[in-house]
Amino acid sequence: MNPTSRNEHPIVIAGGGIGGLACALALARDGFQSLVLEQAREFGEVGVGLQVAPNALSVLDALGVGDAAKKNALLIERLLMIDGVTGEEVANVPLDERFVQRFGNPYAVSHRADIHGALLAACRSHDLVELRTDARVVDFKIDNGRVSVTATSGHRVVAPALIGADGVHSNVRKRIVGDGDPLNAGAVIFRATIAADEMPKPLQHPYPTFWAGPGWHVIYYPLRDWSMFNLGCTLVTGAPEYEDGQEVTPRDVLPRFTGGCAAPFRVMRIPKKFRHYVIRHREPVDNWTSGPVTLLGDAAHPMVQYIAQGAAMALEDAICLAGAANETNGDFAKAFQRYQDIRIVRTARVQISSLMMDRINHAAGLERKVRNSLFEGRTPEQFYERLAWLYTPPPYVK
Ligand SMILES: Cc1cc2nc3c(=O)[nH]c(=O)nc-3n(C[C@H](O)[C@H](O)[C@H](O)COP(=O)(O)OP(=O)(O)OC[C@H]3O[C@@H](n4cnc5c(N)ncnc54)[C@H](O)[C@@H]3O)c2cc1C
């Protein structure tokens, strides 16, 4: 046993993404040791850009990695929605000092690897976190209040608790919720990166540029000290025509985005290749815990990315769960129930709100005009008021 640990045997965390690593770090900071089992050969992140709202930055601050995470992040000056049909501005939310004062942090865009990397470095340097790769959790059994976890590469661990932070296809969830495969949200995303020297200067904006088109939306923003741009083109579609992660060309992508003005296509024409992914999610469920086993992040409440909050929710989960373990002094079954009680309404609200943005972001015809009229004349304070439930860090983020 690690002499500084409050638990004799490590808790197992399945999955070393942003949620799993944040959880290991949060538990370690409260004196609990954990073992992270990650299926991949190396720790890393799929995808490139991540919007990091103030509620997410507040968790990173509380975990002591805020400065490291913000080092390469860009603080953006506004959130902008443009009508993809006319090119006119629909909504403009300034993220200036008023915003920072209100929510305690700015709004950033970051390379995923920088957020994940900051968490990974902190985990690696903490005595109470053990990290193993090439270890895919395939099964578990609860026996006498303990959890026997089976993973590939011959890992078999008996632990006081198991946390499934194993993403949208979670194996741990199968045994707790049993709701089958995640749902296809009826949309796909074509992702690309653009080097700064390929992006025309007039298109280099210090904020995400977001066009809401009929049945599609396109967003791009700068990353890593303006050295590159992240581009995501989401399309509402029937059955996907490509595999997840498949490389496609602009010729495959552009003709599918119809009915729009010229501006988004100026950006979409730049990359030589895109990668295609199906957007997946699940309906909220009213339980994701069974005794000493619980879920966190996308394993618990995967959502469509339309309000850019999935990673933020995983971070909030992590700090809430560690706080509950602290309050129950390591009675993990009790802690997991408390954590779920605290988190379930907020995360379900974010899942549902994200899905409602499908209609806003992709409106066509009359509905598009209604969408535009909803935002007309809103002052920054009115926007902040409506966003307060989301961007204000919950009280357990400390
Ligand atoms: C296109 C797109 C854009 C997005 N943009 C944003 C954004 O701007 N802001 C935001 O906050 N969120 C965003 N999200 C959501 C965000 O990416 C996810 O919510 C977040 O990554 C969830 O983190 P996680 O750790 O729960 O899961 P994951 O990131 O999926 O990590 C799970 C980890 O577990 C590992 N794993 C899986 N199965 C097993 C197993 N059986 N055993 C062991 N290891 C396993 C995986 O290899 C992985 O490392 C976006 C999502 C998409 C699809």
Side-chain angles (χ1 to χ4, degrees), residues 99-170:
F99 181 86
V100 179
Q101 284 293 328
R102 171 117 197 206
F103 299 115
N105 248 311
Y107 196 113
V109 288
S110 172
H111 198 294
R112 278 170 181 263
D114 293 338
I115 302 292
H116 186 265
L119 291 166
L120 184 60
C123 283
R124 280 193 170 134
S125 62
H126 209 299
D127 282 351
L128 297 183
V129 181
E130 190 186 339
L131 302 168
R132 275 188 218 162
T133 51
D134 231 343
R136 174 173 170 78
V137 170
V138 286
D139 202 6
F140 68 87
K141 210 164 87 190
I142 303 174
D143 195 9
N144 251 339
R146 298 170 70 75
V147 193
S148 173
V149 182
T150 311
T152 49
S153 301
H155 294 290
R156 208 188 147 78
V157 189
V158 177
L162 167 66
I163 298 165
D166 47 348
V168 67
H169 297 284
S170 170

Side-chain angles (χ1 to χ4, degrees), residues 13-22 36-47 49-53 55-56 107-110 112 116 132 134-139 150-152 164-172 174 189-191 219 221 230 232 234 277-280 296-315 317:
I13 299 174
I18 287 173
L21 293 185
V36 179
L37 299 179
E38 165 57 46
Q39 67 177 3
R41 286 255 160 81
E42 284 175 27
F43 284 95
E45 272 285 293
V46 176
L50 201 64
Q51 297 185 49
V52 198
N55 55 318
Y107 196 113
V109 288
S110 172
R112 278 170 181 263
H116 186 265
R132 275 188 218 162
D134 231 343
R136 174 173 170 78
V137 170
V138 286
D139 202 6
T150 311
T152 49
D166 47 348
V168 67
H169 297 284
S170 170
N171 260 350
V172 180
K174 282 182 193 147
I189 182 165
F190 298 96
R191 289 162 138 178
I219 184 169
Y221 49 83
N230 181 61
T234 299
Y277 297 91
V278 177
I279 310 286
R280 295 196 166 84
L296 176 149
D298 275 6
H301 41 66
M303 58 189 72
V304 294
Q305 83 278 15
Y306 305 152
I307 56 174
Q309 277 282 324
M313 287 302 111
L315 288 165
D317 283 350

